[in-house]
Amino acid sequence: MELLCDPSRMMKRDALTESLAMMADVFGDGMFASHVGGFFTCSEADSIARVLLLSGHRDEALTWLSCHADGDEVDDSHFTYDEDDPKDEGRVLNALELREYAGWLAA
């Protein structure tokens, strides 16, 4: 008969929660994220942000995405421009757009 409240499972869950909080502290630190965020591809940065979002660390995920996006250029995921306007040089996503993007990542 299987135990419904397996203590080893609970310990693993607590360790996972603690590890995710530590990860959020690292990637959600603006100084760290600013220094290394641009070295990650957009899909790598999105993967980290998604883990943070799904584990309840929304602010940290937004900090991470924002700092990563600072290095984005045309054709990167966190960069926008008007394709029909040749004068539009584009820009990285603003805070509102990043929050919307984060909602899409967490869905």
Side-chain angles (χ1 to χ4, degrees):
M1 177 191 263
E2 183 179 343
L3 292 175
L4 295 178
C5 189
D6 182 354
S8 66
R9 241 189 196 165
M10 291 176 70
M11 287 175 40
K12 287 180 185 174
R13 188 173 348 156
D14 291 344
L16 177 60
T17 299
E18 183 180 327
S19 297
L20 290 168
M22 291 169 62
M23 184 178 165
D25 286 343
V26 171
F27 286 98
D29 177 76
M31 184 175 287
F32 174 81
S34 292
H35 282 87
V36 304
F39 292 105
F40 286 76
T41 66
C42 289
S43 62
E44 292 166 343
D46 286 352
S47 294
I48 292 166
R50 188 160 196 263
V51 168
L52 296 175
L53 289 162
L54 294 175
S55 62
H57 301 281
R58 182 175 172 76
D59 291 342
E60 292 85 347
L62 291 171
T63 297
W64 169 249
L65 282 175
S66 177
C67 291
H68 161 79
D70 283 342
D72 276 3
E73 301 172 337
V74 174
D75 294 331
D76 285 339
S77 298
H78 314 104
F79 194 89
T80 186
Y81 63 96
D82 183 352
E83 293 178 17
D84 297 327
D85 182 358
K87 294 180 183 179
D88 185 4
E89 295 179 7
R91 62 176 172 74
V92 296
L93 299 180
N94 63 36
L96 177 61
E97 292 165 331
L98 279 174
R99 282 194 297 275
E100 291 172 357
Y101 186 84
W104 173 80
L105 277 178

Coordinates of all heavy atoms in Angstrom, one line a residue, residues 1-2 22 39-40 44 73 77 87 93-94 97-98 101 107:
M1 N 0.8 -1.2 0.0 CA 0.0 0.0 0.0 C 0.9 1.3 0.0 O 1.8 1.4 0.8 CB -0.9 0.0 1.2 CG -1.7 1.2 1.3 SD -2.6 1.4 2.9 CE -4.1 0.7 2.5
E2 N 0.6 2.2 -0.9 CA 1.4 3.4 -1.0 C 0.9 4.4 0.0 O -0.2 4.6 0.3 CB 1.2 4.0 -2.4 CG 2.0 5.2 -2.7 CD 1.8 5.7 -4.1 OE1 1.3 5.0 -4.9 OE2 2.1 6.9 -4.3
M22 N 16.3 30.2 -4.6 CA 17.7 30.6 -4.8 C 18.0 31.0 -6.2 O 18.7 31.9 -6.5 CB 18.6 29.4 -4.3 CG 18.6 29.2 -2.8 SD 19.4 27.6 -2.3 CE 21.1 27.9 -2.8
F39 N 24.3 37.5 -22.8 CA 25.1 36.4 -23.4 C 24.2 35.2 -23.6 O 24.7 34.2 -24.1 CB 26.2 36.0 -22.4 CG 27.3 37.1 -22.3 CD1 27.4 37.9 -21.3 CD2 28.2 37.3 -23.4 CE1 28.4 38.9 -21.2 CE2 29.2 38.2 -23.4 CZ 29.3 39.1 -22.3
F40 N 23.0 35.3 -23.2 CA 22.0 34.2 -23.4 C 21.2 34.4 -24.6 O 20.9 35.6 -24.9 CB 21.0 34.1 -22.2 CG 21.7 33.5 -21.0 CD1 22.5 34.2 -20.2 CD2 21.4 32.2 -20.6 CE1 23.1 33.7 -19.0 CE2 21.9 31.6 -19.4 CZ 22.8 32.4 -18.6
E44 N 17.0 30.8 -24.5 CA 17.6 30.4 -23.2 C 17.0 31.4 -22.1 O 16.6 30.9 -21.1 CB 19.1 30.5 -23.3 CG 19.7 29.5 -24.2 CD 21.2 29.7 -24.5 OE1 21.7 30.9 -24.3 OE2 21.9 28.8 -24.9
E73 N 18.4 42.9 -30.5 CA 18.5 43.7 -31.7 C 17.4 43.2 -32.6 O 16.6 42.3 -32.3 CB 19.8 43.5 -32.4 CG 21.0 43.9 -31.6 CD 22.3 43.4 -32.2 OE1 22.4 42.5 -33.1 OE2 23.4 44.1 -31.9
S77 N 13.7 38.2 -30.0 CA 12.3 38.0 -29.5 C 11.8 39.2 -28.7 O 10.6 39.4 -28.6 CB 12.3 36.8 -28.6 OG 12.6 35.6 -29.3
K87 N 12.0 53.9 -41.6 CA 12.7 54.9 -40.7 C 12.7 54.4 -39.2 O 13.4 54.9 -38.4 CB 12.1 56.2 -40.8 CG 12.3 56.9 -42.1 CD 11.6 58.3 -42.1 CE 11.8 58.9 -43.5 NZ 11.1 60.2 -43.6
L93 N 11.4 45.7 -26.0 CA 10.1 45.8 -25.4 C 10.1 46.6 -24.1 O 11.0 46.6 -23.4 CB 9.6 44.4 -25.1 CG 9.4 43.4 -26.3 CD1 8.9 42.1 -25.7 CD2 8.5 44.0 -27.3
N94 N 9.1 47.4 -23.9 CA 9.0 48.2 -22.7 C 8.4 47.4 -21.6 O 8.1 46.2 -21.8 CB 8.2 49.5 -23.0 CG 6.7 49.2 -23.3 OD1 6.1 48.3 -22.8 ND2 6.1 50.1 -24.2
E97 N 5.0 45.8 -22.2 CA 5.1 44.7 -23.2 C 5.8 43.5 -22.7 O 5.4 42.3 -23.0 CB 5.9 45.2 -24.5 CG 5.1 46.3 -25.2 CD 5.9 47.1 -26.2 OE1 7.1 47.2 -26.0 OE2 5.4 47.5 -27.2
L98 N 6.8 43.7 -21.8 CA 7.5 42.5 -21.2 C 6.5 41.8 -20.2 O 6.6 40.6 -20.2 CB 8.7 43.0 -20.4 CG 10.0 43.2 -21.3 CD1 11.1 43.8 -20.5 CD2 10.4 41.9 -22.0
Y101 N 4.4 39.7 -22.4 CA 5.2 38.7 -23.0 C 5.4 37.6 -21.9 O 5.3 36.4 -22.2 CB 6.6 39.2 -23.4 CG 7.5 38.2 -24.1 CD1 7.3 38.0 -25.5 CD2 8.5 37.5 -23.4 CE1 8.2 37.1 -26.1 CE2 9.3 36.6 -24.0 CZ 9.1 36.4 -25.4 OH 10.0 35.5 -26.0
A107 N 1.8 30.9 -19.8 CA 0.6 30.2 -20.2 C 0.8 28.7 -20.5 O 1.8 28.3 -20.9 CB -0.1 30.9 -21.3

